[in-house]
C-alpha cells in the first residue's frame, strides 16, 4: 500500500495513490470559490437594461443592489460587471421605476442595504417576519416598547398611518423630525421600517436636481395583495423557501446570518 508520503520523492499521495500537489490544492480552492458564487448561474447574459435586470432578480428571487461585505450574495452590480459605485449611474432610475410599476420590490431590506425582491418572493419575506401566528411582529407599539424599534421610526409610522403618503420633507416635518440634528436618526428610522416591510417608497416628487425626492407610505397600502398572501403563510414555511434559495446561491444559512440579513429571530 502506498504511504501518504513517498519516501525519497518528496511527493504526497492520498490512499488511492493520487499525487497531492499544488495543482490539486489550487483546483480544490477554485472549486470552493465556484461553489461560493453559484448565484452567478442566474445571470441571464449581458444586463444592459431594466428588462434584463428583472430577469436576473426573478431568477434569484432576491438580491442586493451592490455587493455585501464578506458574503457571496447575489447583487446587480457584480452581475453587470460593475462596482458598488459605478452601478449607481447606470441603474439609478431602474430601482425606482421597477418598484413603482410593481415589477420588482425595492427598499433597504437585506442587511439594511438597497435590495430587490421578485414579486413571487415578497409574500414570503413579509411572512418570514410576521406571518400567520406572528402578526404581533407588525405591532409598532409592541416593537417600540420591546426596544426593537426606535422612537423616530414609531413617529414616522404613526404619521403615515394617519395622514397617508407624504414626501420626505413633509414627513420629517410632520413627524417632528425636521431639525438637521435629527437627519441621521431619521435616515436610520426609515431603514428600520423598510426592513420590517412597514413602509416603502411609493412615488417621486420629481426627477431633476432640486425636485428629486421620495414619497413614502405604508407598505401594505402599496402592495396589499402581497400582505394578503403573507397572512396565509406561516413564518416557518416562508423561511424554508428563502433558506432553500440561499442554498441555491451557495450560502448555508445560520441563525446568526439570518438575523443579520433579514432580522429573523
Amino acid at each position: 500500500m502506498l504511504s501518504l508520503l513517498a519516501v525519497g520523492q518528496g511527493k504526497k499521495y492520498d490512499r488511492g495513490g493520487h499525487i497531492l500537489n499544488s495543482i490539486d490544492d489550487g483546483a480544490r480552492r477554485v472549486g470552493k470559490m465556484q461553489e461560493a458564487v453559484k448565484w452567478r448561474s442566474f445571470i441571464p447574459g449581458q444586463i444592459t437594461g431594466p428588462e434584463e435586470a428583472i430577469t436576473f432578480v426573478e431568477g434569484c428571487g432576491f438580491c442586493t443592489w451592490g455587493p455585501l461585505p464578506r458574503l457571496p450574495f447575489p447583487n446587480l452590480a457584480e452581475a453587470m460587471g460593475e462596482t458598488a459605485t459605478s452601478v449607481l449611474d447606470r441603474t439609478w432610475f431602474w430601482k425606482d421605476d421597477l418598484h413603482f410599476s410593481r415589477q420588482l420590490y425595492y427598499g433597504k431590506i437585506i442587511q439594511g442595504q438597497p435590495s430587490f425582491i421578485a414579486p413571487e418572493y415578497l409574500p414570503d419575506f413579509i411572512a418570514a417576519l410576521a406571518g400567520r401566528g406572528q402578526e404581533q411582529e407588525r405591532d409598532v407599539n409592541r416593537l417600540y416598547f420591546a426596544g426593537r424599534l426606535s422612537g423616530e421610526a414609531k413617529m414616522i409610522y404613526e404619521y403615515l398611518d394617519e395622514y397617508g403618503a407624504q414626501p420626505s420633507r413633509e414627513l420629517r416635518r410632520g413627524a417632528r423630525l425636521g431639525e438637521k440634528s435629527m437627519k441621521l436618526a431619521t435616515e436610520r428610522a426609515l431603514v428600520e421600517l423598510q426592513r420590517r416591510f412597514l413602509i416603502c417608497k411609493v412615488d417621486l416628487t420629481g426627477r431633476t436636481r432640486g425636485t428629486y425626492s421620495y414619497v413614502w407610505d405604508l407598505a401594505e397600502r402599496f402592495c396589499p395583495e402581497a400582505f394578503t398572501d403573507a397572512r396565509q403563510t406561516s413564518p416557518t414555511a416562508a423561511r424554508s423557501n428563502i433558506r432553500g434559495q440561499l442554498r441555491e446561491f451557495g450560502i448555508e444559512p445560520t441563525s446568526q446570518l439570518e438575523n443579520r440579513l433579514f432580522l429573523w429571530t
Side-chain angles (χ1 to χ4, degrees):
M1 180 182 293
L2 287 170
S3 64
L4 289 178
L5 181 63
V7 178
Q9 295 183 11
K11 295 180 180 179
K12 294 182 179 179
Y13 295 83
D14 64 17
R15 294 191 181 276
H18 302 104
I19 297 174
L20 296 176
N21 55 31
S22 58
I23 295 176
D24 295 317
D25 294 340
R28 278 194 294 274
R29 285 195 295 272
V30 170
K32 289 181 179 179
M33 290 173 63
Q34 290 173 338
E35 180 73 11
V37 289
K38 286 171 61 176
W39 66 264
R40 292 182 183 276
S41 65
F42 294 100
I43 300 174
Q46 189 175 13
I47 300 175
T48 59
E51 291 305 317
E52 292 97 340
I54 292 172
T55 300
F56 171 63
V57 177
E58 287 180 338
C60 293
F62 48 91
C63 71
T64 50
W65 197 8
L68 294 182
R70 299 178 300 282
L71 186 67
F73 202 86
N75 64 92
L76 186 59
E78 291 183 309
M80 294 179 65
E82 301 282 353
T83 67
T85 301
S86 65
V87 74
L88 302 183
D89 289 338
R90 292 185 60 188
T91 65
W92 183 264
F93 284 110
W94 296 5
K95 70 184 193 313
D96 299 326
D97 294 338
L98 296 177
H99 173 73
F100 298 147
S101 64
R102 294 171 176 77
Q103 292 174 278
L104 298 174
Y105 188 91
Y106 169 81
K108 290 187 176 180
I109 300 164
I110 300 170
Q111 200 168 300
Q113 300 301 309
S115 309
F116 298 96
I117 301 175
E120 177 187 358
Y121 274 85
L122 184 56
D124 281 335
F125 269 82
I126 298 167
L129 278 172
R132 190 177 67 240
Q134 292 292 328
E135 293 84 358
Q136 70 272 14
E137 289 297 306
R138 292 186 55 77
D139 186 328
V140 170
N141 285 319
R142 183 187 182 98
L143 292 169
Y144 170 69
F145 286 115
R148 293 191 288 145
L149 200 67
S150 68
E152 293 84 5
K154 180 174 179 289
M155 288 190 288
I156 289 171
Y157 180 88
E158 289 175 343
Y159 190 78
L160 290 175
D161 187 30
E162 182 173 358
Y163 294 102
Q166 298 289 318
S168 296
R169 181 176 298 178
E170 282 71 16
L171 174 59
R172 289 188 175 96
R173 185 183 299 116
R176 302 189 299 280
L177 299 170
E179 296 181 11
K180 287 185 178 180
S181 61
M182 298 295 294
K183 184 175 181 180
L184 186 58
T186 302
E187 291 301 321
R188 285 197 298 261
L190 290 171
V191 174
E192 287 181 70
L193 293 165
Q194 289 176 79
R195 295 194 73 185
R196 292 188 174 278
F197 298 94
L198 291 170
I199 72 168
C200 69
K201 299 164 182 175
V202 298
D203 203 354
L204 293 174
T205 57
R207 290 178 178 266
T208 59
R209 185 182 297 273
T211 69
Y212 190 93
S213 179
Y214 288 110
V215 178
W216 301 85
D217 200 357
L218 303 188
E220 189 164 0
R221 290 176 182 155
F222 181 71
C223 45
E225 299 86 357
F227 283 83
T228 298
D229 290 346
R231 278 191 283 271
Q232 309 306 315
T233 306
S234 72
T236 300
R239 292 182 183 190
S240 178
N241 288 339
I242 295 170
R243 285 175 182 138
Q245 200 65 3
L246 286 175
R247 293 188 176 100
E248 289 292 318
F249 302 155
I251 298 172
E252 184 58 33
T254 65
S255 57
Q256 293 84 357
L257 180 64
E258 292 171 351
N259 182 258
R260 176 160 59 93
L261 294 178
F262 309 128
L263 296 179
W264 297 354
T265 58

